[in-house]
Amino acid sequence: MKKFKPTKFILPTSRYDKARADHAVMFIEQLRHTKGKWAGEPFKLMPWQEDIIRNVFGVIKENGYRQFNTAFIEISKKNGKSELAAAVALYLLCADGEQRAEIYGCAADRQQASIVFNVAEDICKYCPALERRVKILKSTKRIIYLPTNSFYQVLSAEAYTKHGFSSHGVLFDELHAQPNRNLFDVMTKGSGYARTQPLYFLITTAGTDTQSICYEIHQKAMDILANKKYDSTFYPVVYSTPTDADWTKPKIWKKANPSLGITIDIEKIRDACESAKQNPAEENSFRRLSLNQWVKQSVRWMPMQKWDACDFAVNEKALEGRICYGGLDLSSTTDITAFVLVFPPTANLPQANLMTRTYEDDKYSILPYFWIPEENIDLRVKKDHVPYDLWQKQGFLKTTEGNVVHYGFIEKFIEELGKKYNIREIAFDRWGAIQMTQNLENLGFTVVPFGQGFKDMSPPTKELMKLVLEEKIAHGGQPVLRWMMDNIFIRTDPAGNIKPDKEKSSEKIDGAVAMIMALDRSIRHQNAEPITSVYDERGLLII
């Protein structure tokens, strides 16, 4: 093991107390891991983890209390930061010599905060000496250390509305996911005034919101590390790769992953990198989660050369009678309305439908339809610099009379489509579509609402990219849909879910959204409907 060198951020009046540091390290290394292949093994601190523990608990002021009140640890996923936080929570609870200590676990929501708590709970069960001395209240997410009547408590997201905490320790997990600074301010501004050496232990991966409390703390940490700022109570640790470095080069990955080769297999990072190189939508997630780089939320998504490679002819006549699913995006009455039909591959349809199969390629066939108010078209061409008039003449864009989209015309059009194609379902954006969807139901269509948030949009959006890369989409080169696909930016949430977005009001994506909704319904029904043979039901006919 390398020789430990205390941090440079030590006050002239402070010193490194090896005995205090040894005490913290020894306590943690008597604990045991609880997950995967490490379960039951001693909690041997990795070098980077031991450095943190020795500095945080071993650097003391003249009065004998800890110098550092805040430790900010920013590091890539899967390096063991949650396990380290759980160990720190248990040390503060059971071994820090504080009577009636109050330790709080905080995160963006109770479920996230419970991750560190659950690790701490399992650690207690693996350690008989601890298990005898603690009482675990699983329903309220509280661990009580009986000898000192101290407790470790998970706080709900509404904790910032309450006051009166007397914190000896506060652990924030994934600080970047905090929706605002309310909870952070309540838990770190004054809650530990009654304690002699409170510790705010902040762990996180890089985020996307540069207006967040996490980015504010991140910037402070970077300024201190660069000697631009000074705060004797703040201990900064940031493991990340330079944003201007080539993120595809393995030689830089170690900078953000000090646990590489121990808890992280480099092959997994290499696989994730290769996937991100193939799919631009994954690049930001890879750089943020695996390289700990702060990135923008949105990124232009579709590699258009891949989309253009799916310019397979779509024979509308051959598709007649085929099962399909619709996606309807009404937008506003003065904007583009999109209706897209997605025909699943014939190989994925029930066997009975193969009797009439005429489409040769087993691809998802796309038939998009677009409408715009007739009176607005010239103004829109000049304003948006988009060739709506040309698309109208070419038959790729339809118009309705007047200066607003005539929904009744669209309803009649969809009714006629229903006579040609077997439209099983129509998915629609709930916003502004109530009356039209009721009318479509009255016409005999099955309509289903489709949420526009990360939860609903992420799976089919990712699936669409996969199908495009595999050239399993046939769109016939429809220019309006192509324009909309090129307009898509991707917005990512902290969990890595994605959804389509547009950066400018003139860059429409309605058709892409409608297609994604229709694709979702198509895939869901394929997974739900087993492929069977007609002979399984009636047997062979003897003539």
Side-chain angles (χ1 to χ4, degrees):
M1 178 183 166
K2 70 172 185 176
K3 185 177 180 180
F4 173 72
K5 183 179 180 180
T7 179
K8 64 179 181 178
F9 304 112
I10 299 181
L11 284 169
T13 54
S14 298
R15 63 184 176 87
Y16 172 66
D17 188 326
K18 185 176 182 300
R20 292 272 292 267
D22 286 346
H23 184 262
V25 170
M26 187 166 49
F27 173 87
I28 292 173
E29 293 195 337
Q30 289 183 59
L31 307 177
R32 293 188 177 274
H33 288 287
T34 64
K35 294 181 180 179
K37 68 177 183 180
W38 303 95
E41 295 294 321
F43 197 128
K44 178 65 177 175
L45 289 167
M46 289 176 278
W48 70 271
Q49 293 176 322
E50 183 171 347
D51 283 351
I52 291 172
I53 296 301
R54 288 191 174 279
N55 281 312
V56 169
F57 293 100
V59 177
I60 61 173
K61 298 180 291 187
E62 286 182 304
N63 58 11
Y65 298 132
R66 286 191 287 269
Q67 175 185 314
F68 299 115
N69 297 132
T70 301
F72 177 75
I73 292 88
E74 186 181 291
I75 193 171
S76 299
K77 287 279 190 182
K78 304 303 179 184
N79 275 276
K81 63 180 183 298
S82 294
E83 288 75 11
L84 179 65
V88 168
L90 290 174
Y91 180 79
L92 292 172
L93 176 70
C94 307
D96 206 28
E98 186 78 9
Q99 293 294 316
R100 294 182 177 272
E102 297 178 20
I103 318 299
Y104 295 100
C106 307
D109 54 55
R110 188 177 178 85
Q111 182 177 2
Q112 181 67 46
S114 297
I115 292 175
V116 174
F117 175 89
N118 292 340
V119 174
E121 176 190 5
D122 290 343
I123 288 175
C124 290
K125 293 176 181 178
Y126 269 91
C127 182
L130 269 184
E131 192 174 28
R132 290 194 300 268
R133 292 169 171 80
V134 300
K135 181 178 182 181
I136 300 174
L137 305 178
K138 196 173 183 67
S139 61
T140 57
K141 299 294 182 184
R142 176 180 284 224
I143 299 175
I144 302 172
Y145 183 62
L146 300 174
T148 60
N149 202 22
S150 301
F151 64 82
Y152 168 35
Q153 174 74 59
V154 171
L155 293 181
S156 67
E158 295 76 31
Y160 68 85
T161 63
K162 309 177 184 72
H163 293 273
F165 299 108
S166 181
S167 308
H168 177 60
V170 177
L171 294 92
F172 267 92
D173 189 16
E174 297 299 0
L175 184 62
H176 74 88
Q178 285 294 313
N180 52 55
R181 64 181 304 131
N182 294 339
L183 180 59
F184 181 84
D185 285 347
V186 166
M187 299 310 300
T188 61
K189 310 296 184 190
S191 70
Y193 282 0
R195 303 289 180 174
T196 54
Q197 49 180 3
L199 178 62
Y200 309 114
F201 199 77
L202 319 176
I203 59 173
T204 190
T205 302
T208 59
D209 184 2
T210 55
Q211 304 301 315
S212 64
I213 179 61
C214 185
Y215 191 74
E216 179 184 318
I217 304 300
H218 163 83
Q219 280 299 110
K220 178 178 179 177
M222 296 304 290
D223 287 344
I224 291 175
L225 289 169
N227 296 317
K228 294 179 181 178
K229 287 185 179 178
Y230 178 74
D231 183 343
S232 63
T233 67
F234 189 96
Y235 178 64
V237 177
V238 178
Y239 285 99
S240 66
T241 58
T243 55
D244 58 350
D246 185 348
W247 56 272
T248 66
K249 300 299 183 183
K251 65 181 181 180
I252 70 168
W253 296 346
K254 182 72 174 180
K255 293 179 179 294
N257 297 279
S259 302
L260 197 63
I262 305 174
T263 64
I264 299 178
D265 186 347
I266 193 170
E267 288 303 318
K268 292 185 177 179
I269 298 184
R270 183 175 283 111
D271 291 344
C273 180
E274 287 300 317
S275 181
K277 285 160 65 176
Q278 296 294 322
N279 186 351
E282 296 180 13
E283 178 184 328
N284 276 4
S285 290
F286 173 76
R287 290 171 57 193
R288 185 175 70 82
L289 301 178
S290 297
L291 305 184
N292 197 43
Q293 293 180 352
W294 282 80
V295 296
K296 294 180 179 179
Q297 265 191 313
S298 58
V299 58
R300 191 174 286 274
W301 183 53
M302 179 58 66
M304 293 311 293
Q305 73 277 11
K306 298 292 186 181
W307 177 259
D308 292 338
C310 295
D311 184 12
F312 304 106
V314 179
N315 188 332
E316 295 186 35
K317 187 69 176 177
L319 291 172
E320 290 185 7
R322 279 267 303 272
I323 290 174
C324 61
Y325 299 85
L328 178 64
D329 192 328
L330 291 182
S331 193
S332 68
T333 56
T334 60
D335 215 335
I336 297 177
T337 288
F339 181 69
V340 178
L341 291 177
V342 172
F343 296 78
T346 51
N348 294 342
L349 296 176
Q351 195 74 14
N353 292 295
L354 297 183
M355 303 292 290
T356 58
R357 181 170 70 178
T358 57
Y359 189 66
E360 295 180 354
D361 294 320
D362 289 331
K363 303 181 188 301
Y364 287 84
S365 297
I366 312 297
L367 285 183
Y369 304 94
F370 304 97
W371 294 267
I372 194 171
E374 188 173 39
E375 288 185 10
N376 295 346
I377 193 166
D378 291 335
L379 178 63
R380 293 288 294 273
V381 170
K382 295 177 182 178
K383 178 183 176 183
D384 299 342
H385 305 288
V386 176
Y388 298 113
D389 53 349
L390 177 61
W391 290 337
Q392 180 198 23
K393 292 176 183 178
Q394 294 173 335
F396 297 118
L397 177 68
K398 303 179 185 301
T399 58
T400 63
E401 293 183 358
N403 57 8
V404 296
V405 174
H406 194 285
Y407 288 162
F409 179 87
I410 297 173
E411 291 166 10
K412 183 67 175 176
F413 186 90
I414 294 176
E415 182 182 14
E416 292 301 314
L417 287 177
K419 296 176 182 179
K420 291 199 299 182
Y421 308 117
N422 185 358
I423 304 176
R424 289 288 184 89
E425 285 185 353
I426 297 174
F428 68 95
D429 177 2
R430 292 191 274 280
W431 186 87
I434 297 176
Q435 185 60 55
M436 187 171 182
T437 54
Q438 289 177 346
N439 294 341
L440 290 173
E441 284 182 331
N442 293 336
L443 291 172
F445 293 102
T446 299
V447 295
V448 292
F450 199 97
Q452 301 298 294
F454 289 106
K455 174 178 174 291
D456 293 309
M457 293 299 293
S458 186
T461 303
K462 291 180 177 180
E463 184 64 23
L464 174 60
M465 176 61 78
K466 177 176 179 290
L467 293 172
V468 169
L469 296 177
E470 294 174 348
E471 297 188 6
K472 291 183 178 180
I473 291 285
H475 54 66
Q478 217 280 4
V480 183
L481 183 59
R482 185 191 189 282
W483 170 64
M484 291 181 173
M485 291 302 299
D486 196 26
N487 289 339
I488 293 180
F489 282 72
I490 281 298
R491 196 162 290 276
T492 308
D493 73 359
N497 296 308
I498 66 173
K499 68 174 183 177
D501 193 31
K502 57 183 180 180
E503 291 268 302
K504 301 176 182 177
S505 59
S506 63
E507 293 186 340
K508 306 305 176 187
I509 63 171
D510 313 84
V513 171
M515 178 176 58
I516 289 169
M517 292 192 292
L519 179 64
D520 178 89
R521 303 314 302 172
S522 175
I523 293 172
R524 287 179 186 273
H525 281 274
Q526 289 172 61
N527 294 337
E529 296 178 358
I531 300 175
T532 59
S533 168
V534 64
Y535 304 117
D536 292 337
E537 298 179 6
R538 62 165 172 78
L540 292 172
L541 293 179
I542 307 297
I543 300 176

